[in-house]
Amino acid sequence: MFIFKRVQHIQDWVASQRKDGRTVGFVPTMGALHYGHMSLVEQSKRESDVTVVSIFVNPKQFNDPEDLRKYPRPIELDLIMLNEGGVDAVFIPEVADIYPPGDTNVIDVDQRPTAATLEGQFRPGHFSGRSDDVARVLERINP
């Protein structure tokens, strides 16, 4: 299993997979993995030749800085799960890789009715932050 922390490195790896005729599946996560995440990995592995998982805790989906600080980050356990699950590559970017300094673009996805239910009911901006982050990671990996 390859572990990438820089955008250019994951992009080069994905390009090499495509050049070799492989399809690339992708599972975006915030880490702290569980069975639900691994079921998405299994689905990706069934549908794609190689599977990439991202682990990115997105500060834009936390309206309370204390929630962000407390969010679990068991990276070592996550990497063991992903390796045992047969993941081909993991992308673990820094915030600046996803939200470069000076970048004021916002990828706005219509959140209705989700934004008013579930986490959105208690965390304003949660789903818009998550959709912005996933769109940005998708742009960088291009699965």
Side-chain angles (χ1 to χ4, degrees), residues 47-68:
E47 295 179 4
S48 307
D49 297 316
V50 296
T51 293
V52 176
V53 173
S54 66
I55 298 175
F56 178 64
V57 179
N58 177 20
K60 291 199 173 198
Q61 68 188 86
F62 291 88
N63 65 341
D64 181 348
E66 188 64 15
D67 283 347
L68 174 61

Side-chain angles (χ1 to χ4, degrees), residues 9-59:
H9 298 162
I10 188 69
Q11 288 176 336
D12 290 347
W13 185 83
V14 167
S16 73
Q17 298 305 305
R18 281 212 185 84
K19 183 179 177 190
D20 290 342
R22 293 183 189 97
T23 57
V24 179
F26 173 59
V27 179
T29 80
M30 289 180 34
L33 302 179
H34 52 70
Y35 176 76
H37 296 106
M38 298 312 294
S39 70
L40 296 173
V41 166
E42 291 168 12
Q43 182 76 26
S44 175
K45 288 177 59 175
R46 282 192 298 273
E47 295 179 4
S48 307
D49 297 316
V50 296
T51 293
V52 176
V53 173
S54 66
I55 298 175
F56 178 64
V57 179
N58 177 20

